[in-house]
Amino acid sequence: VARRSLDNLAQGRGGFLQGPIGTGKSHLSVATLRAMLESKPYYFGRRPSRYRFVDEAVYEGRYCSMVSVVEMLDRMRESFREGKVRQALRDDRILEGTRELLHRCRCDTVVILDDIGAQKPSDWVEEQLYSLIDLRYRMQRSTFFTTNCNLGELEVQIGQRSVSRIVEMCDGIRVTGEDWRLNHPST
């Protein structure tokens, strides 16, 4: 998967990892990204970034991110919420953090959008996800998606236009097995 992903990176192709809960889709997507980074470290070089967290290392070259879709949407809702009285300093941090997150989701060379379809469906969710997916599609940025939904279920969650773009921009990977977390509970 990693070798094919590197070959497809320049074309903006990614992966669509679909399967039951706990089968390792997120783990596999991160392992694929790590293999890509290790096999072509010069491709993922170093450059300063306009946006970065205070304690974050500054990397030059191409950026990679893994983002929980549910968390991203929650942060967007929080930053757009109207009619609530919040402290000015907290507002600035929420807004700047959301800008950073969205900038990374839009512009990073490779982005893993984890658990797409796990969010509650709404017109707003469909619009926000379409905007992001369409931008990455048009910019030919590699995107990996993990989901428990099949394509029909995902269409209900995020809309047909988004799913159509995902299908075109990604190689489909069916991940099967039992729920690893249920079979390996932490002690």
Side-chain angles (χ1 to χ4, degrees), residues 109-123:
T109 305
V110 181
V111 171
I112 299 169
L113 293 175
D114 195 39
D115 276 338
I116 193 164
Q119 70 288 336
K120 182 178 177 183
S122 72
D123 290 342

Side-chain angles (χ1 to χ4, degrees), residues 55-73:
D55 296 332
E56 180 184 43
V58 177
Y59 297 101
E60 299 173 2
R62 292 162 177 90
Y63 278 78
C64 308
S65 300
M66 179 176 189
V67 178
S68 161
V69 172
V70 173
E71 180 182 335
M72 176 188 71
L73 292 167

